[in-house]
Amino acid sequence: MSVVTRFAPSPTGFLHIGGARTALFNWLFARHHGGKFLLRIEDTDRKRSTQEAIDAIFEGMRWLDLDWDEEPLFQSTRAQHHAGCARKLLDQGKAYYCYCTPEELAEMREKARAEGGRMLYDGRWRDRSPSEAPDGIPPVVRFKAPQEGETIISDSVQGDVRVANDQLDDMVLLRADGTPTYMLSVVVDDHDMGITHVIRGDDHLTNAFRQTQLFLSLGWSPPVFGHIPLIHGADGAKLSKRHGALGVEAYRDMGFLPETVFNYLLRLGWGHGDDEIIDRQQAVEWFDLPGVGRSPARFDMDRLTSLNAHYIRTADDRRLADAITPLLAERLGSPPDADAMSRVAAGMPELKERGKTLGQLADSALFYAFKRPLELDNKATKILNDQARAILGRLVPALTTFDPWTAENIETAVRDFAEAEGLKLGDVAQPLRAAFTGTNVSPGIFEVAAVLGRDEALGRIEDIAD
RNA sequence: GACCCCAUCGUCUAGUGGCCUAGGACAACAGCCUUUCACGCUGUAGACACGGGUUCGACUCCCGUUGGGGUCGCCA
């Protein structure tokens, strides 16, 4: 059997981190098994669905490079067909009209709660004749669910889960206005799309029972379910806006690389021995449902950040320079010029060892983009006292006597100078750093000097030296 | 409240009855390296929720308790 999975978000908001992981697992599972990964937009709630949300979902998927097969299916376009399936059940006596008013249902739940039972529909119209229908109340169509026995799903993640059928009520298939509900639409679409594996959040586990019954009632065999545990916030509760549950684009904007988010999400609830750094190719090869854990995982920003530091360190220099260009422009107040950017690119091998996010990377690269004379921060000002300025003044001639201008030669020159002057290397290096960068923290100072070039380097020294 | 799910270091996890004096990673702490900051390296601290079984032997299997989570819409 060839595998077909799907990701079916409802476009009522951005692609949040939990949804992204669901998409990731579906994508991985399909790719691992050489099957198809489909996308379905569940926009049946027209009031809450927006084009912005649809765009955000597509964008998030592309950012993570989760490519889908075939054109995305918009569920709203299939409403007629869904309703037809409900009528078929009606004709076969597997569904019925219910004339309860919302008030009546509210009262029913109120009573159930008071009596300590489940807040279920009591099936009061299940066996009543339509001739008893009250005037002026448009009915909904309810599914005539089995009342005895139990429903079992063999979940690929959770194992066999069973529930007594009397714990499940007759769900609404068609609303009073004739539009299909989520329960009906999902089942019909999953069937029509040939979905073999439904991988989704654990919060859908109870829906799986009802959907299984519906599949059976329509004469179809249900797909294999895999309910993956939810992602929780640091406090252990379901990730919500309260916890800063953000869209993937928010993580992009915070300076995280897509491969970081990919790797992080992958390791949340799934593991492969002691492996931590796993690229997409390796993930496709290794991923499978039996490896997915059953307990919820908490979102950990520290770990995400640490992974990002790793992926920045190993990323291509040119790509990083391009990625931080807009951030530099923001900080400078205008786009960095070509000279500035070539220095930034040249300095990238050392810079990327230090930045944990693209924002930090931009901050640390900023001094390369500055124009002379540099503005000194407090630390640099403190370092550049009269004595330090005098030292730098005497150092200048020593920096003009050798070629080529390489980190190695610069280091030799500075060390020789320090020795000749009876100074510790730090007595020269720290003032140099302050002069070159305007601050007290930077990559190795000889590499910085080399990247700046002799003219720029000497210029920056002369700007502050006596 | 009812139903369902879950339970190993602070966090993510390895572990599928003996390889476990429970391994790795992040975070924490100490140190080394060093011109600063990182990186890197070394080390320290840190967990099988509890109670019963089953077994020659349980982190691993069963039951209960406790704790956490999810679901109970004419939302998806």
Side-chain angles (χ1 to χ4, degrees), chain A residues 328-342:
Chain A
L328 290 172
E330 234 170 66
R331 288 159 172 74
L332 292 166
S334 63
D337 61 30
D339 279 353
M341 282 316 295
S342 73

Side-chain angles (χ1 to χ4, degrees), chain A residues 21-22 24-33 157 199 228 262 265-272 278 280-293:
Chain A
R21 191 181 57 150
T22 300
L24 173 65
F25 281 18
N26 276 285
W27 180 86
L28 243 17
F29 186 76
R31 295 291 172 257
H32 174 79
H33 290 283
V157 174
I199 301 166
I228 61 181
F262 182 102
L265 257 20
L266 173 65
R267 284 284 291 104
L268 225 43
W270 179 86
H272 184 272
I278 304 168
R280 55 173 32 228
Q281 190 191 339
Q282 195 61 259
V284 166
E285 194 178 313
W286 285 340
F287 185 85
D288 211 346
L289 252 19
V292 177

Side-chain angles (χ1 to χ4, degrees), chain A residues 376-384 438-439:
Chain A
L376 305 179
D377 70 12
N378 290 339
K379 299 273 181 53
T381 305
K382 205 170 171 189
I383 290 167
L384 290 170
T439 184

Side-chain angles (χ1 to χ4, degrees), chain A residues 399-455:
Chain A
L399 294 177
T400 59
T401 59
F402 60 86
D403 275 303
W405 183 256
T406 61
E408 199 176 38
N409 288 341
I410 297 163
E411 175 162 3
T412 303
V414 173
R415 282 186 187 277
D416 289 350
F417 170 81
E419 199 176 328
E421 294 252 340
L423 297 167
K424 286 185 293 185
L425 187 55
D427 295 333
V428 186
Q430 276 304 84
L432 215 41
R433 169 167 288 111
F436 285 159
T437 70
T439 184
N440 67 324
V441 175
S442 81
I445 203 61
F446 306 118
E447 283 76 18
V448 168
V451 167
L452 285 174
R454 178 171 262 152
D455 290 348

Side-chain angles (χ1 to χ4, degrees), chain A residues 243-309:
Chain A
H243 303 95
L246 304 168
V248 290
E249 83 287 342
Y251 290 93
R252 178 197 64 202
D253 295 345
M254 282 188 273
F256 292 99
L257 262 22
E259 56 267 49
T260 300
V261 176
F262 182 102
N263 195 151
Y264 179 71
L265 257 20
L266 173 65
R267 284 284 291 104
L268 225 43
W270 179 86
H272 184 272
D274 287 341
D275 296 300
E276 299 291 348
I277 304 295
I278 304 168
D279 65 27
R280 55 173 32 228
Q281 190 191 339
Q282 195 61 259
V284 166
E285 194 178 313
W286 285 340
F287 185 85
D288 211 346
L289 252 19
V292 177
R294 283 127 292 153
S295 55
R298 300 186 187 202
F299 191 84
D300 181 4
M301 204 62 177
D302 279 341
R303 189 166 184 98
L304 181 71
T305 303
S306 143
L307 256 185
N308 203 46

Side-chain angles (χ1 to χ4, degrees), chain A residues 150-180:
Chain A
E150 59 180 11
T151 299
I152 304 173
I153 62 174
S154 297
D155 194 280
S156 293
V157 174
Q158 305 290 346
D160 283 0
V161 188
R162 57 186 65 208
V163 72
N165 286 336
D166 62 13
Q167 293 298 324
L168 271 14
D169 63 1
D170 292 345
M171 62 191 160
V172 173
L173 261 21
L174 251 34
R175 303 185 183 99
D177 65 3
T179 58

Side-chain angles (χ1 to χ4, degrees), chain A residues 14-340:
Chain A
F14 40 54
L15 176 60
H16 63 86
I17 216 71
R21 191 181 57 150
T22 300
L24 173 65
F25 281 18
N26 276 285
W27 180 86
L28 243 17
F29 186 76
R31 295 291 172 257
H32 174 79
H33 290 283
K36 281 184 181 176
F37 171 60
L38 307 181
L39 192 54
R40 182 172 74 223
I41 304 297
E42 309 220 317
D43 56 348
T44 53
D45 186 346
R46 305 299 282 175
K47 286 191 284 293
R48 296 201 303 149
S49 301
T50 66
Q51 187 59 44
E52 293 75 58
I54 293 171
D55 293 341
I57 288 164
F58 286 162
E59 209 179 305
M61 301 275 292
R62 285 196 204 96
W63 186 65
L64 286 171
D65 202 9
L66 302 180
D67 57 312
W68 55 92
D69 302 302
E70 303 179 9
E71 284 300 301
L73 181 81
F74 287 82
Q75 197 162 54
S76 59
T77 63
R78 302 187 23 95
Q80 289 301 320
H81 181 238
H82 298 157
C85 291
R87 278 192 295 274
K88 196 174 91 187
L89 289 174
L90 224 33
D91 293 344
Q92 295 172 348
K94 294 173 177 170
Y96 61 92
Y97 288 108
C98 165
Y99 295 86
C100 288
T101 62
E103 296 72 38
E104 206 177 340
L105 292 171
E107 193 183 316
M108 195 187 299
R109 288 188 197 103
E110 189 74 16
K111 193 170 166 238
R113 175 177 275 285
E115 288 170 2
R118 297 213 77 188
M119 294 178 284
L120 302 172
Y121 173 69
D122 63 8
R124 61 183 61 175
W125 282 93
R126 188 178 168 107
D127 298 310
R128 260 161 94 172
S129 158
S131 63
E132 295 176 57
D135 288 337
I137 294 180
V140 299
V141 173
R142 282 185 186 271
F143 177 58
K144 195 177 273 187
Q147 293 177 305
E148 285 163 16
E150 59 180 11
T151 299
I152 304 173
I153 62 174
S154 297
D155 194 280
S156 293
V157 174
Q158 305 290 346
D160 283 0
V161 188
R162 57 186 65 208
V163 72
N165 286 336
D166 62 13
Q167 293 298 324
L168 271 14
D169 63 1
D170 292 345
M171 62 191 160
V172 173
L173 261 21
L174 251 34
R175 303 185 183 99
D177 65 3
T179 58
T181 59
Y182 160 81
M183 284 291 180
L184 209 215
S185 299
V186 185
V187 168
V188 176
D189 284 346
D190 280 341
H191 171 262
D192 289 357
M193 291 166 81
I195 304 300
T196 59
H197 297 259
V198 170
I199 301 166
R200 69 219 318 188
D202 212 2
D203 49 345
H204 283 286
L205 185 58
T206 51
N207 288 338
F209 296 107
R210 294 187 152 94
Q211 288 165 12
T212 293
Q213 294 178 343
L214 236 195
F215 268 106
L216 264 19
S217 224
L218 285 160
W220 305 328
S221 55
V224 175
F225 289 104
H227 289 92
I228 61 181
L230 300 176
I231 299 176
H232 286 177
D235 63 354
K238 185 179 179 180
L239 206 55
S240 69
K241 291 195 183 73
R242 269 187 36 114
H243 303 95
L246 304 168
V248 290
E249 83 287 342
Y251 290 93
R252 178 197 64 202
D253 295 345
M254 282 188 273
F256 292 99
L257 262 22
E259 56 267 49
T260 300
V261 176
F262 182 102
N263 195 151
Y264 179 71
L265 257 20
L266 173 65
R267 284 284 291 104
L268 225 43
W270 179 86
H272 184 272
D274 287 341
D275 296 300
E276 299 291 348
I277 304 295
I278 304 168
D279 65 27
R280 55 173 32 228
Q281 190 191 339
Q282 195 61 259
V284 166
E285 194 178 313
W286 285 340
F287 185 85
D288 211 346
L289 252 19
V292 177
R294 283 127 292 153
S295 55
R298 300 186 187 202
F299 191 84
D300 181 4
M301 204 62 177
D302 279 341
R303 189 166 184 98
L304 181 71
T305 303
S306 143
L307 256 185
N308 203 46
H310 171 267
Y311 280 106
I312 284 180
R313 274 200 296 281
T314 54
D316 176 70
D317 295 338
R318 187 72 249 172
R319 174 188 169 203
L320 292 173
D322 288 344
I324 65 169
T325 302
L327 302 178
L328 290 172
E330 234 170 66
R331 288 159 172 74
L332 292 166
S334 63
D337 61 30
D339 279 353

